Structure formats: structure tokens, C-alpha cells
Amino acid sequence: MAEVILKNIKKVYPHQEPKKRKKGAEEKKTNLLVTDEGVLAVQDFNLEIKDKEFIVLVGPSGCGKSTTLRMVAGLEEISGGELYIDGNLVNDVASKDRDIAMVFQSYALYPHMTVWENMAFPLKLRKMPKEEIAQRVSQAAEILGITQYLDRKPKALSGGQRQRVAIGRAIVREPKVLLMDEPLSNLDAKLRNQMRAEIIKLRHRINTTFIYVTHDQTEAMTLGDRIVIMRDGVIQQVGTPQEVFNHPANQFVAGFIGMPQMNFYDAQLVKDSDGKYAVELEKAHVVLSEDKQANLARNNVQPGPVTLGVRPEHLVLTGDADKMITGKVEVSEMMGSAVHLHISACGSDTIIIVPTTELESASAFSIGSPISFTFSGSTAHLFDPETQKSLEA
Amino acid sequence: MRTNSTTKLRNADVQTKRFGLGMITPTVIVLLVMTAYPLVFTLFYSFTDYNLLRNLRQPAEFIALKNYTDLLTDPYFQQSIWNTVKFTILAVIFEMIIGFAMALFVNCLKRGQKTMRTLLLLPYLLPTVTVALSWRMMLSPNYGIVNQVLTALGLPVFNWFSDIHTAFGMLVLIDVWQSAPFVFLLLYAALQSVPQGQYEAARIDGAGRIKILFYVTIPNIKNSLALCALLRTIDSFRLFDKVNLLTGGGPANSTSTITQYLYNYGISSLDFGFGSAGAVVMTILVLILSSVYIKRAIQ
């Protein structure tokens, strides 16, 4: 029940003394910025999280999302910048005094305590009266459906049940901010989907500010009010799931959000005789939609080479035969409701999703057979080939 | 066909069993010769008046429980038992507290853990004889550094190992000095295996350092604590070398342990019957002591 403001937050890990390296040991490759001070794990992190908002930090491994969360939790020192929770500067406030709760990927339950004791522990430390502890624990247990396990020790529970207990331990406190660090990563796919739905329900029952870290874009898209996409310690884009999906700020975001990944091609941006922008790729000449025209014109984009991105579900197999891109089917994956076609075209790998309902027969795409496809002007995303930034933003 | 295959299976089973027996036989023989035989031998002689000097001329005679009654009514033996118990309790308590404190200290160091670990472990690596002799030199009333420092400070000096007030305490001190590093090593290893996440969760849940120690650290390493206490208890109970080298049980029997008593009255005088009875009593005491831990461990 509080807003969280991160102002120019920075995390620097000082250089380690060079250790003797074993012969043949490879140096770990990262693209993190290295300065005289050390390695910049997070830099210029600016974000205002509104009261009761559900924010998801998402990005590949090592992008600094967990480090950021741990700085909010007070588990990592903040190297620079200011962190406000509920209007108070908390850079130097200990974790226990920040009124936050956290759910860990490893659950981090206390193995020697029963489920009840685990959940009551934070309340006991705050010297809450026994009746209130009992009431809060049983209420949280009911919300999470773990009432029948209250007398058990964590080792007698399954992964999903343990994660519920960990969430229970966090929500009994009724914290100002609830932090979750990849809480579903240790669960199997089915349980993960189930728990994801439960977190959405939970979110509506307990009104608090959530900061959720994940590397899974499905979790990010389904849970977040807003998504923060990070890479190499830098925020790439902040926006609602729809915004980042429809208007990715750069090629990285476009590739990261969406499953399967967006297809990218080296294409040409041209201006037709009537002054309209169009993209040319092989024989295809696609005139862009009105809103894209306006965006490009506003940014005064000049014709020339661009990186074209089209999502697999936006590539279509029907159109004017003379103006289509041609390729060869390499793999055809039957997914039930759709077929994922892997095609080699324009010198790169392309994926097309074809709904099963549009297919005459599943065997229509035998390996090696030629195929042609195109796209519409409203589904094309254009990026600067050098800066990789969106030309429409 | 079916009977054929079952016979084959049964043959294979018999072969596996035979192979297994063959593999454990050498171990069983060694165990019988080295452990079971001396045990039975000791038990048997504890009921006789077997004395090596006398029995060169006449055979040992069966005297039933006389050795045991002599032993248990001997005030020197009673004092030795009390000394041993007192020594064990004091040494184990101090070793556990100091060893645990050392482990916590080294575990929270950000740099130099390896160096510190090696330095702290040194006393445990030294042979007991070396330890005893170097302490004897340091505490010597004539040339020992301790008395020299005390004299320089104008404080009273002691003849540490011959004074009835200090001899026992010195033995405890030396044992703690040598064995606390063992406790440190075991508990340090246990501390390293406590998941970091639990500490972090406790910090966020609102626990301070002391609460984390009692609610997270100690419960997580309690098995190691119990094992460590058991090993140290058994070892302290059998204390012999330091006593024998430094005081020989004196002054006035004030540092005599059960083993030292057995050495003085059973081994030195070659009265093996009496010595055997003492050994049996000691074995029973050690078993009683460790049964508490062993029961816990099994549970």
C-alpha cells in the first residue's frame, strides 16, 4: 500500500582481485558496462511505481532485474541513486524496517518450523498478540488453500505447496510492498500455469504494491499492469503489456516479447510517388498503414535500409503471387491449434504460425517444399539497423 | 522354460550372496581379532586375579566380583571418576562455545577466510605430546614466559602443574586450546551449508542478528552441534596423554582421570585383572554417555 520510486538507481560490483585462472577456463562473457569503479550491474534505473500497481521486471539472465529487486528489498547495497518507499528515502534503512515482504525462488522456508510457524514467524518477531497472529495465519492459509498442511514441516510438502507457504509468509504481514523473485521458476509447467492464475486472483484479494521479477515473458504479459524490460543493467522499455507488444521501443524488446520470436529482415524503406512510405523485401512491396505513415513522417525518417520485424502470427500465406516472398519449408511443427513453420527465406530463419483451421491438410507443408508469404502494412515494425531503435517511436 | 529361467535366477542369486560373503569376510576377521577378542579377553580377566608378575609361577584364579568391589570402593577411583566427569563437562562446554564463536566469526569474514581457517586449525594439527611439552615450557615456574610476565606485572605466580588450585584448570585450558579448533572446523563446514536464502528471508521477516542466530543458524546446524558434542564428550572422557605427560594424576590425585588411575594401578603394577575390571567400568560409562546422542541420531 505504497508507491515506490527508484531514482537513478545504480549498482556497481567492485572489481575482484584477479584470481589464478585454471588453464582452459573460459572467461564469462557479459555485455555489462565496466568502469574504473567496477562492473555496472544496474545503471540509471528510473521508475515510479504507483500505489497498488503490479510491476513486472523482465529480461534475460544477468540483466540486473534480480539485483534491482534485491536493492528494493535491502539485501543489496545501493551504489548510487535514491529509493523511496511511501515517500521515505530508504537507501540506508535495514530490510526489516522497510515494511516489505519477499517471496524467493528457492522458497527459503525455515525447515525446522511447521507451516504454521513459518507463516507466524514474521508476526511473532513483530510481537503481535497471539490471537491476531492466529487469525491472520488462518486467513492467509485459507486464501492459499493450505489449511490442511499447517502442522506439516516444509519437507513434507510438494513444490507448489511450499511456494504457497512462502507466499503465505509474505502476505500475513500485510506489507507495503510485496516482492517476488522468480517465484514460479522451480515449478513444473502445469503447476506454473496454475500458480500464475492464482497470483492474479491473489493480487485482487490483497491490495498492495507488487514488484515481480521473472525471465518468462508469458508471466510478465499476464501478470503485470506495467512491464519493465531490462537488458545488461539498462531499462529498455516500460509500458503496459499491450504497449510493449504492439509498439516495442527497440529490436531487443521486439524480439524478447512474443512467442515465437519476431522475424527480422534486412529490408528497404522507400517512398512511393504519392509520398507514402513502403517497405520492400524481395518481390514484396508493402505500403505501411496510416498510423505508421504518420509516425515515420513525424520522425522525418528518410528512405533507406531498415530492419523489418514481423511477428510469426502476422505472416500470411495468401496474396498476390507476384508480390510475395518465397522460401523453403525446413521444419513443420504441429502444435494442435496451429502449425509452426520454420522457413528459410531472405537468408534468414523465418517462423510462420498457421492456424489449423486455415489448413486443408496438415501434410500440406512437406519438408523442402517451396512456400510464399507476405504481410500487411499495419503489422510491420521498422527499426534503425544501426541503433536498433524503433523508427516509429 | 519357466522353471528353467527361475532356476537360473536362483543360481544368480546364490552367486551374488556368495560373492558378498567373500567380500566381507576379511573385514569380519580383522574386527573379530582386533575388537571382539580383546573385549572378551578383558571381560574374562576382570573376574580373575591375573597379575603378570605373580602368574609366572601360579595360574590366575577366578575371584568373581572382587576386582569390581575393590575398584568401586577405592576412594582414589571414585575421585578419578568425579575428575573425569568434571573435566568432560567443563572441556566440552568451553570447546563448544569457543569453537562455535570461532566458526561464526570466520564465516562472516568477507576476506581472508582461508588464511584464518588454517591459522585457527593449527593447534588441532599438533601432536598432543608437542602441545603438552610446549605448554609445560610456557607454564614452567623457573623459565616459563607466563610467570615472567606475571612477575613483571607484579602479580602472584604459581607452580601451575603442582598447585592443587591450578593443575586441573590448566589441563582444561590446554585441552580447550587444542580441541576447540576441531569444533570450529566441523561447525564452520555446517555453517557453510546453511542456505543463504533463509538468512535473507529472516532479515526481511524482521529478525535481527541474535534472532537469526537462534531461529535460523542454530536450528539448521543442530545435528552438527550434537555430533560435535558427542565426539568431544567421548574424547574428553578418555583423556590420558595430557594428564600423564603433565601431572601424572597429581597433585594429591586432583587431576587423576579414570584412564590415568587404570594406568597407575592396573598397567604399571602389572595387575591386569584389576585393570581389566576398570576398563570394563569405563566402557560401560562411555556407552551410557553416548547412548543419549546415539538414540537422538537414530531418531
Side-chain angles (χ1 to χ4, degrees), chain A residues 222-381:
Chain A
T222 50
L223 292 171
D225 291 334
R226 278 193 301 159
I227 303 178
V228 179
I229 298 148
M230 293 181 72
R231 179 201 196 184
D232 299 334
V234 182
I235 295 183
Q236 302 293 308
Q237 189 173 2
V238 182
T240 64
Q242 208 59 42
E243 271 167 19
V244 295
F245 187 80
N246 290 339
H247 308 289
N250 56 39
Q251 207 178 321
F252 172 78
V253 175
F256 191 79
I257 300 290
M259 269 291 271
Q261 209 191 327
M262 185 186 275
N263 300 300
F264 294 106
Y265 310 95
D266 294 325
Q268 284 292 328
L269 182 70
V270 293
K271 252 184 177 174
D272 287 347
S273 49
D274 56 358
K276 284 199 168 174
Y277 284 105
V279 247
E280 283 186 342
L281 180 64
E282 278 197 356
K283 285 182 282 174
H285 178 95
V286 176
V287 180
L288 296 172
S289 60
E290 287 305 321
D291 57 328
K292 289 189 189 282
Q293 297 283 352
N295 288 338
L296 292 178
R298 193 187 63 227
N299 292 343
N300 195 21
V301 178
Q302 296 305 313
V306 289
T307 302
L308 165 70
V310 188
R311 297 202 181 275
E313 57 271 34
H314 293 151
L315 289 171
V316 289
L317 303 177
T318 49
D320 187 348
D322 295 339
K323 289 183 175 173
M324 286 176 83
I325 308 152
T326 53
K328 233 188 231 173
V329 177
E330 291 200 318
V331 178
S332 157
E333 295 174 313
M334 180 63 192
M335 310 297 278
S337 61
V339 176
H340 290 188
L341 292 176
H342 295 248
I343 291 160
S344 83
C346 311
S348 68
D349 221 24
T350 297
I351 299 177
I352 304 182
I353 299 179
V354 187
T356 327
T357 45
E358 290 178 16
L359 288 179
E360 285 161 23
S361 74
S363 59
F365 310 106
S366 56
I367 293 168
S369 62
I371 190 167
S372 46
F373 57 90
T374 187
F375 55 93
S376 75
S378 61
T379 59
H381 298 271

Side-chain angles (χ1 to χ4, degrees), chain A residues 110-118 121 124 152-154, chain B residues 215-216 219:
Chain A
Y110 310 116
H112 48 280
M113 298 185 195
T114 62
V115 169
W116 200 94
E117 286 164 343
N118 260 289
F121 185 62
K124 214 168 95 183
R152 290 201 196 166
K153 293 255 174 89
Chain B
Y215 285 109
V216 179

Side-chain angles (χ1 to χ4, degrees), chain A residues 17 70 74 110-112 126, chain B residues 111 198 200 202-203 205 215:
Chain A
E17 282 165 37
R70 289 168 61 81
Y110 310 116
H112 48 280
R126 279 174 175 70
Chain B
R111 275 164 174 239
Q198 280 187 41
E200 292 179 347
R203 270 167 68 188
D205 281 345
Y215 285 109

Side-chain angles (χ1 to χ4, degrees), chain A residues 203-220:
Chain A
R203 186 263 160 102
H204 293 291
R205 290 189 72 157
I206 55 161
N207 251 330
T208 190
T209 312
F210 279 77
I211 308 179
Y212 187 105
V213 161
T214 181
H215 62 264
D216 183 311
Q217 51 120 349
T218 320
E219 278 173 33

